[in-house]
Amino acid sequence: MPTQATRLSDRQLKAVKATGKDFVLSDGDGLQLRVRASGSMMWNFNYREPLTRSRINMALGPYPDLSLANARKKAAEARELLALGIDPKAQRDEVRQAKLAETEHTFEKVATAWFELKKDSVTPAYAEDIWRSLTLHIFPDLKTTPLSQISAPMVIKLLRPIEAKGSLETVKRLSQRLNEIMTYGVNSGLIFSNPLSGIRAVFKKPKKENMAALRPDELSELMIEIANASIKRITRCLIEWQLHTMTRPAEAATTRWADIDFDKRIWIIPPERMKKRRPHTIPLTEQALALLEALKPHSGHREYVFPADRNPRTHANSQTANMALKRMGFQDRLVSHGMRSMASTILNEHGWDPELIEVALAHVDKDEVRSAYNRADYIERRRPMMAWWSEHIQKAATGNLSASAINQTRDHNVVPIR
């Protein structure tokens, strides 16, 4: 029969002193006190794992913070679990993880971790939109909710009022973003499954609508309204810049002087600011360069061509042009993004190569290899088309109503920005 271990006593424990090396005192039934060379003491429960039968030490707590009596209670609880075939250390870790999830793995904290990855794969403007939507619609209700407690009924209840207002596109985007966050939680080992995987099916689907755009014969009306509108000249130049370059609102608003090559007469938009995360090069016409010359005195010493009003160190908002168009009376007739559609229609109607038009609009070529191979060639082939487009805009402005035309007619004298 195995030798019965001598039980420890409080008096004995109080007399324990460091010896300069580690040693173990046994209380029997797996309970041990490990004494470190430094003098610190830790209770351990030594046992065999139920399935593998390998030896495991489970720390119970330091002595004297954990008394002899309480250490024996903890060891007795562990032995009860072992009698049921349960690994006490594994179960304790699961309980701790669950408690940690309630405090550390809240929805907001997991969403923040997800967003840190997500924002590197989208444009800054789109990243701002993502975070703004979560802050406005989701965080007020789910901010401190543990990720493990997020359920489909909970989120459906949260999104129903948004659906009732008719904001179906918002519901669609929120559903998509919530799904990505929950999938991130699954992949990070924080939850076992994504309860929101099919949530979009319970909401009305938004009708796909084209961006509001003017008819080709209404371009002249647009240019006259821009010239006569009571808007800041920097905003006027931004609208015309977007029109001449056929860029998206966020791409135009975030134009940087460092990305303009005046010698080669090109604007190179880096991939992080493009919708498809690919660099985009735009040949600059005389009119586009004239706009830049007009802006140099105002922002040439800054990073961005179109600085924000409140903080000139950053760029104009991507919605600046859109809001200006609304104030001009184009609500429901034209959005700033719709100027790209108008350019595409006009260029196609006048017989320009559809392939060159698609490249100018930075639409992804399905044949990526072919697209990369032809990129440099397309820049030069696009120059005549872009020049024709700028001249068409200028004619629509009756020759001297556009900011670029004004600058050209003054032998490139600077147009004051007010």
Side-chain angles (χ1 to χ4, degrees), residues 62-78:
Y63 177 84
D65 296 345
L66 182 65
S67 67
L68 173 60
N70 286 331
R72 285 172 175 167
K73 287 181 182 179
K74 283 181 173 287
E77 292 170 359

Side-chain angles (χ1 to χ4, degrees), residues 23 43-44 107 126 143 178 190 200 237 297 309 353 372 376 391:
F23 64 93
W43 290 110
N44 284 329
F107 180 82
Y126 188 56
K143 183 176 183 178
L178 288 166
L190 306 179
R200 279 178 59 180
C237 289
D309 282 340
D353 186 343
E391 288 169 9

Side-chain angles (χ1 to χ4, degrees), residues 354-388:
E355 191 172 41
L356 292 181
I357 297 171
E358 290 300 293
V359 174
L361 293 169
H363 289 163
V364 176
D365 191 327
K366 292 180 180 179
D367 185 345
E368 296 289 344
V369 176
R370 172 168 155 251
S371 177
Y373 180 78
N374 290 330
R375 194 174 298 137
D377 178 50
Y378 279 154
I379 293 171
E380 295 308 314
R381 289 175 59 194
R382 280 160 49 204
R383 285 193 187 277
M385 182 182 74
M386 299 300 288
W388 182 92

Side-chain angles (χ1 to χ4, degrees), residues 39 48 132 145 181 241 244 253 265 271 315 343 349 353 360 375:
R48 289 190 181 278
R132 192 185 307 112
T145 305
I181 293 168
W241 176 254
H244 280 281
R265 299 161 66 93
H315 57 78
E349 284 184 354
D353 186 343
R375 194 174 298 137

